[in-house]
Amino acid sequence: MPHSGLSSPRRRFSHVFGTFLIKAVVRLRRLLREREAAFIALAALAGALAGLSTNLLGFLAHAMQQVFYGLEGNRLSALAEIRHPWRLIALPLGGLALALWARWLRRRNRPLIDVVEANALHGGRIPPADNLIIAGQTVISNGVGASVGLEAAYAQMGGGMASILGQAMKLRRNDLRTLVGAGAGAAVGAAFNAPLAGAFYAFEIVIGSFVPGAVAPVMAAALAAAGMSRLMGSEPWLIATTAVGRSLHFEHYLAYGVLGLVAAVVGILVMRLVTGAELALARFKGCRAGGRSWAGVC
């Protein structure tokens, strides 16, 4: 009985606060549907989260490389040689760990949904667990020294967090797809300090088309991610050049254009070779049975 006087005000406060919170969320959802500026602000928030996750994933992968290969402030890909060859055992062990993880994942009733598939087939909806699994597999592969970049993990986490935000705000299908593309592109742009390239990645790879109405949110997310990356002390990728102070002429721009075409052809060939190698290795029973543990051998 003595506590009944206290519980009544608490219940009243909880009811009032809950009602206020529900009304605020409903009002915010309505604002996101009606005001483009509100949607751009949400995209910027998604971009900031994407920049944060990109730096954290890079830190985790580099920390693993330091443990397994004894790196001292350098990247594994920049090393001319591995001083202690016994450290290479990390590669097949990492493959074995991924194979066991993949076998455990077979218990799931559905395959993993990556960020591109989510936008193409599921309206931008990505289960949070899929983000962690795909990013974790990529980080482990990179951390043990496999020839795997972290871009897939960056895009998955960036787009995945944007998807969580969009679903929480009950965004329309097209708006959610735009937000997911913005988050994925922002993450990739933050990784290389190239927000414009991240925006193009969002349009060409994730969203799948150039939509004028999506330019502002995609760019806002890319710039927010780059800003977050700078705040976290990430060093931009720089290319040393000896052409300081030299003027550029028409033939130089022409050479750059030819270089871009050659790079595009090489990129297409590499993608085709990867697909061909996967199909060829799938024919060998030993490699198929050994799974990822044979990744460093087959």
Side-chain angles (χ1 to χ4, degrees):
M1 294 299 293
H3 296 285
S4 60
L6 293 175
S7 60
S8 180
R10 288 179 180 174
R11 289 178 183 174
R12 210 175 299 130
F13 173 77
S14 299
H15 175 72
V16 172
F17 180 74
T19 304
F20 170 78
L21 191 61
I22 292 174
K23 289 183 177 179
V25 172
V26 171
R27 193 170 299 172
L28 179 59
R29 289 172 177 171
R30 186 183 305 165
L31 190 65
L32 288 170
R33 289 173 178 265
E34 298 175 354
R35 300 291 182 86
E36 185 178 0
F39 183 65
I40 293 173
L42 183 65
L45 175 60
L49 293 175
L52 177 64
S53 67
T54 292
N55 283 272
L56 291 177
L57 291 172
F59 173 79
L60 288 175
H62 191 60
M64 290 180 63
Q65 293 176 359
Q66 287 180 324
V67 172
F68 292 129
Y69 295 98
L71 300 183
E72 297 178 358
N74 205 349
R75 295 182 178 272
L76 182 61
S77 58
L79 295 181
E81 61 180 1
I82 303 297
R83 296 181 180 179
H84 304 287
W86 61 267
R87 291 184 179 273
L88 293 174
I89 194 66
L91 190 57
L93 288 179
L96 178 61
L98 289 172
L100 295 175
W101 193 2
R103 178 164 296 185
W104 179 78
L105 289 174
R106 291 177 185 173
R107 302 177 182 178
R108 294 162 53 98
N109 296 325
R110 58 173 182 79
L112 296 172
I113 299 176
D114 63 55
V115 66
V116 178
E117 179 186 352
N119 248 22
L121 302 177
H122 304 284
R125 295 179 176 273
I126 310 175
D130 290 16
N131 298 323
L132 297 176
I133 292 171
I134 293 175
Q137 290 175 337
T138 308
V139 169
I140 291 175
S141 300
N142 184 274
V144 299
S147 182
V148 176
L150 290 170
E151 292 79 12
Y154 297 152
Q156 186 69 31
M157 287 302 295
M161 289 189 295
S163 178
I164 293 173
L165 277 177
Q167 291 181 66
M169 293 294 106
K170 302 292 185 182
L171 293 181
R172 292 180 291 244
R173 180 184 177 91
N174 287 339
D175 291 341
L176 182 58
R177 291 183 70 254
T178 299
L179 189 66
V180 170
V188 173
F192 302 100
N193 192 37
L196 185 59
F200 278 109
Y201 177 90
F203 283 118
E204 295 183 8
I205 306 299
V206 186
I207 299 176
S209 61
F210 180 80
V211 183
V215 173
V218 168
M219 286 306 304
L223 293 173
M228 176 61 73
S229 187
R230 288 293 186 92
L231 286 176
M232 297 184 67
S234 178
E235 292 293 333
W237 289 70
L238 299 175
I239 300 177
T241 177
T242 59
V244 178
R246 297 182 182 178
S247 59
L248 296 177
H249 301 288
F250 174 76
E251 58 269 19
H252 297 139
Y253 290 105
L254 184 62
Y256 292 145
V258 173
L259 178 62
L261 292 175
V262 172
V265 172
V266 171
I268 294 172
L269 289 176
V270 169
M271 289 189 291
R272 300 255 180 182
L273 287 173
V274 169
T275 303
E278 291 178 349
L279 294 175
L281 289 176
R283 298 174 184 174
F284 292 94
K285 295 182 179 179
C287 289
R288 186 166 60 249
R292 291 171 176 81
S293 59
W294 286 97
V297 180
C298 292

